[in-house]
Amino acid sequence: MEAKLGEFDLIWRFFKAGSESMAQNQTDQVLLGIGDDCALLQPDPAQSLAVTSDMLVEGRHFFANANPEWLGHKALAVNLSDLAAMGARPVGFTLALALPHADSSWLTQFSQGLFRLAQQWQCPLIGGDTTQGPLTICITALGHVPTGAAIKRSGAKVGDDIWVSGRLGDARLALGALRSEWLLDHSSLEAVLPRMHEPEPRITLGMQLRGIASSALDVSDGLLGDLRHILKASQVNAEVLIDQLPISRMLAEQTEHLRRQCAANGGDDYELCFTAPSSKRMELEALSTALLPLTRIGSITSPTNGAEPTLILRDANGNLLTAADSMLLTQSFDHFKSN
Amino acid sequence: MEAKLGEFDLIWRFFKAGSESMAQNQTDQVLLGIGDDCALLQPDPAQSLAVTSDMLVEGRHFFANANPEWLGHKALAVNLSDLAAMGARPVGFTLALALPHADSSWLTQFSQGLFRLAQQWQCPLIGGDTTQGPLTICITALGHVPTGAAIKRSGAKVGDDIWVSGRLGDARLALGALRSEWLLDHSSLEAVLPRMHEPEPRITLGMQLRGIASSALDVSDGLLGDLRHILKASQVNAEVLIDQLPISRMLAEQTEHLRRQCAANGGDDYELCFTAPSSKRMELEALSTALLPLTRIGSITSPTNGAEPTLILRDANGNLLTAADSMLLTQSFDHFKSN
C-alpha cells in the first residue's frame, strides 16, 4: 500500500524517452504520443482499425527470473501476432506495467527487447501506465488493415486447404526441457530456446495473406485447440494430417509421441494457421519459397448437421488415428497456457 | 504456475455474453467485437482516435476486499475520464483481467458495475484477455474526437482562466476516514463514499468544452499536481485561489488544513481541470448552470524566463500563502496515488 511516488513517474519518463527516440520513424498516423490524457491517432478512411490486448503475468506466462529483454520482446510479439493473424499492419501500442520495485537494470533490458521489436515494425509506444504491483505486463496493440480485407476466423469454406507457417512445437520442446519434463541435449536446447523466448510475429505473412486466406489465426495455445476456433467460427469440420505438421530437426529427433504432442498441442508457437481455396496453392507455394515455409496440413470438410465442429486426425499413411491416440492429442497437456 | 484451463476460458465467455447483450446498442463503428484475434473498428475520416490505458492493482489502487461492482465501475470510469479530458466520445474498450481464481459471484458483480457504465456511454467491450494471477485490471479505452478538436494539455495561454468541474476532495475525505486518518460522522461518510467508489467520468462536459477550453486534464492525482502537467506542457505559470476550490458541505465542515489538503491534493476526484480565455466566461457560466457546477479557481500567468513553471497559491483574501502553508500543499500527502 506504501507508494513510492516519484519512482513510478520516473519509470514512465523512461519509457517516454524510449518512445521519443523512435519519433523520427513514427508514421504520420500518430498525432500525439505519450504525455497527455490520451494518445491521438490520425484516421485513414481506407483502413479499419484492429485492436488487441494481452496480459502476461509472472509465474503463469513466464518464469519469475525471466530474462527482461526476452520479456519485453515477447509481451509485444504476442500482440503483434494477433494483428498479423488479421492481416493488419502495426500502428502503435500502449503498455501498462506493474512492477514490484523500480529496478533500472531490469527496465533497461526490458525496454531494449520491447523497443527493438517496436522499431522493427515501426510500431511506436503511444501511451500507458506504470504502477507498483506484482510483475504484470498488459499491452494493447493497434493496427490498420484495408477495409474489408481483414482475415477473420469465420471465413473457412468446405474444400479449403489448411496451412501453417514456419515450424511448430519448438517453444513447447524448450519449455519441457527447462521444466525437466524431458531431456534435451545442450545444442538442441540452445536451438529451440529462441522460439520460446523471442517469437517472431508473422506480420509480413499476414499482410501477404490478404485476399488469399479465407480464415486465419495465430497459434498461441497449440495448433489443434486453436484450429477448433476456426472450425467453430466457420461452422465446418476438418481433417489434419498429424505427421505432416512442420517441425524442426530438433523436434524430429524426439519420440513420435513427444513430436506429435509438441507440434499439435504445444502452445506459444505464434505461427499463423490459415485456410485457403485450393486455387491459391501456387501463390502460397511461391510465398513459401520467398518468405517463410508454408505447409499444407489438411483440409476443411463438410459440417455434420447440428453437431459441434469435428477435427479428424490422420497419420503419415492417411489412416485415422486410433481413438486413444486421437484423444491424447485433442486433450491439452500443457500447464503453461496463455488463457 | 498450475493452470485451470477451462476456467479462464469460461470467464472470457462470461464477458463476451455481457458484451453481446449490449450489441443492439453498439454503434456502427464496431465492425467485429469479441471472438477473433482482434476487434475491428470502422474508421471515421472526420474523427481522430483517442487511446488511453490504465492498470488498477489490488492493494495499491483499491482495497483487497473492495466491492466488485464498484471496482468494475471505477476501472472503466478512470479510462473514460481520460477520454473526457481530451473532449473525446467513447467508442469501445478492451479489458485484460488477472484473477486469483474464478469466483462467479465476484465476476457477476464486477461485470454489473462495468457494463452499467459501458451501457450508459454506449461504449462496448470489444476484446481483451482473462488470466489467473494477482487481481489486476487493465482497460484500454478508445474514443473519437473531431480532427483538430482534441483538448490537449499544451494549449493554456497567459491570461486564461483556470476552471474546475464539480467538487474536489470528497474521494480523499472518504479514503482518510476508511483508513482512520481522521474521523467522519456516519452520514457524511455515506455521502462522500460514492465519490471514491463510483466516480462519474465527465464525458458530456469534455465534449462541450471542445472549442472553449484551451487545455484540459482530468484530476486523478490531486488538483495541484495535475495542474502542473498543464503548466509544464504549456510553459506557463499559474495563480490558484486555494479557498475558492469547490468543495462539498461535508468537506466544508472540516478544519482549514484538511479542507485545503483534500481539495488541492486529494486525488481520485476525476473532475476536469481546464483553462479557457476570459471571453468564454459567459458560455461556461451557462454550461455550469445547465450541466454541472464549473468554478473559476485562478488564472494562467506569464512564464518566468528559463525557469520551471511556477504555481502560486492565494488565500480567500487574495494574500499569498505563507511559504510553509504553500509547501505543505505543494507536497503530496497521499499514499494511495494512481501512478
Side-chain angles (χ1 to χ4, degrees), chain A residues 156-158 230-238 300-303 309-310:
Chain A
K157 298 280 180 300
V158 175
I230 285 182
L231 304 187
K232 201 168 174 191
S234 302
Q235 285 296 302
V236 290
N237 291 350
I300 297 294
T301 57
S302 298
T310 309

Side-chain angles (χ1 to χ4, degrees), chain A residues 1 5 36-37 39 41 43 47 49-51 53 55 59-61 94 129-132 138 140 153 218 335 339, chain B residues 1-2 5 36-37 39 41 43 47 49-51 53 55 59-61 94 129-132 138 140 153 218 339:
Chain A
M1 208 72 107
L5 282 178
D36 215 304
D37 293 283
L41 296 184
Q47 310 277 332
L49 186 83
V51 185
S53 292
M55 185 182 262
R60 180 154 179 92
H61 301 99
T94 64
D129 198 12
T130 45
T131 185
Q132 192 176 30
C138 182
T140 299
R153 296 179 176 184
D218 72 320
H335 296 283
N339 64 342
Chain B
M1 207 74 105
E2 198 63 21
L5 281 178
D36 215 304
D37 293 283
L41 297 184
Q47 310 277 331
L49 186 82
V51 185
S53 292
M55 184 181 262
R60 180 152 181 94
H61 302 100
T94 64
D129 198 13
T130 46
T131 186
Q132 192 177 29
C138 181
T140 299
R153 297 179 175 182
D218 72 321
N339 65 342

Side-chain angles (χ1 to χ4, degrees), chain A residues 255-268:
Chain A
T255 64
E256 181 187 75
H257 174 71
L258 186 55
R259 215 161 61 214
R260 286 177 169 179
Q261 284 284 21
C262 286
N265 260 330
D268 259 7

Side-chain angles (χ1 to χ4, degrees), chain A residues 111-157:
Chain A
S111 68
Q112 269 168 3
L114 182 79
F115 285 122
R116 190 183 303 125
L117 185 63
Q119 186 94 50
Q120 184 184 344
W121 295 106
Q122 300 293 297
C123 180
L125 176 66
I126 57 171
D129 198 12
T130 45
T131 185
Q132 192 176 30
L135 184 53
T136 308
I137 309 160
C138 182
I139 284 181
T140 299
L142 305 172
H144 273 168
V145 55
T147 304
I151 310 165
K152 303 177 191 172
R153 296 179 176 184
S154 55
K157 298 280 180 300

